[in-house]
Amino acid sequence: IDGLILGRTLIRDDRIKYLKQTDLPFVAIGSTEEPNVAQIDNDHIAACRELTSILIMKGIKKFALIGGNSNHVVNRTRREGFEQGIIGAGLMIEDMKVYMDCVDRSNVEMAVEDSMRHMVDCIVCMDDAICIQVLRKLRQEHIKVPQDIRVASFYNSSVLENNIPSITSLSFNARELGMEACKNLLAQIEGETVPDRTLLSYEVVLKESTK
C-alpha cells in the first residue's frame, strides 16, 4: 500500500508507534500525544465544554455523564470538555456522576439506574450509540424526556434523527473529516509537508430533550 488512515486513536496506541518506525505515510482520524503524527480531528474539548455550559445556563446543575471505552482518545477529550464546562460554571466535578467504560447494554442500563437514584437533572451521553441505549432504558422505566429527566448527546448521527423527542446534541461533519484525512494522506504520498494537527468545526444543536 502507498498510505494508511487510522480511523480511531487510542491512549496507548502501539499502532502509531509501529507506523512511525516505518516509511509508510499515514494519518490519524483523532488526536494523539505522539509527536510528529498527522492528525485530523474535531474540536471535541471546545464542543463538549460549550454544550455543557449551555445546559448549565438552562438551569441544569446535576449531571450524569455516560461514556464508552476510556482507552479511546475521543472519550477522554469529550470528558475533558465536559469537566471544563462544569468547572467554568463554578460547579464541582465531585457532585456529578461519571460512568466510563459502558461498553455494552447492561453497563449503560446500570448507569441509568444509578443516575436516577441520585436524582440527576440531565444524562449526557458521549455518543449516539450510548444515547440510544439510554433512551431505550428510560422508556422501559416509563421515565419521560424531558419532563422527568433531560438527555443530551456529545455526538449526533442519523441514529438519533427520528427520535421523539428530538435530542440535543453536537453535530460534526463526518464526511468532511474523511475528506480532510484523505487529502492529507495524498499530500504526504506526494512528498508535501502537512500540519501535525487539523481541528474541524462543530455545531451545537439544541432540541426538545433539554427543554
Side-chain angles (χ1 to χ4, degrees), residues 174-193:
R175 183 182 295 272
E176 182 185 12
L177 201 64
M179 288 176 60
E180 288 298 322
C182 189
K183 287 193 293 185
N184 184 296
L185 182 60
L186 291 172
Q188 289 187 61
I189 291 171
E190 293 298 321
E192 299 176 20
T193 301

Side-chain angles (χ1 to χ4, degrees), residues 14-33:
D14 292 335
R15 305 165 307 160
I16 289 178
K17 291 179 180 178
Y18 168 74
L19 287 168
K20 287 180 67 178
Q21 295 173 4
T22 73
D23 293 326
L24 185 70
F26 75 98
V27 58
I29 295 180
S31 297
T32 177
E33 294 180 353

Side-chain angles (χ1 to χ4, degrees), residues 107-177:
N107 296 144
V108 174
E109 290 184 348
M110 286 189 291
V112 172
E113 291 169 359
D114 195 59
S115 298
M116 298 309 299
R117 282 195 294 270
H118 285 86
M119 302 178 66
V120 302
D121 303 318
C122 179
I123 295 177
V124 177
C125 309
M126 277 198 181
D127 59 48
D128 53 338
I130 289 175
C131 191
I132 284 294
Q133 295 180 54
V134 167
L135 294 169
R136 183 185 297 117
K137 176 62 174 177
L138 293 175
R139 283 193 293 268
Q140 289 175 353
E141 300 297 328
H142 306 290
I143 299 169
K144 296 180 179 179
V145 178
Q147 295 92 332
D148 301 326
I149 192 167
R150 285 172 274 190
V151 175
S153 175
F154 280 160
Y155 188 81
N156 185 26
S157 73
S158 57
V159 175
L160 297 178
E161 281 182 358
N162 297 320
N163 192 79
I164 299 175
S166 54
I167 303 299
T168 289
S169 61
L170 291 170
S171 180
F172 302 102
N173 191 328
R175 183 182 295 272
E176 182 185 12
L177 201 64

Side-chain angles (χ1 to χ4, degrees), residues 75-109:
N75 290 331
R76 184 183 66 176
T77 53
R78 287 173 179 169
R79 179 174 181 173
E80 184 176 344
F82 169 78
E83 292 181 348
Q84 286 184 10
I86 296 296
I87 294 169
L91 302 179
M92 300 293 292
I93 295 295
E94 293 77 12
D95 293 335
M96 311 303 156
K97 301 298 295 181
V98 177
Y99 310 89
M100 296 300 297
D101 295 304
C102 294
V103 295
D104 57 37
R105 182 172 176 175
S106 62
N107 296 144
V108 174
E109 290 184 348

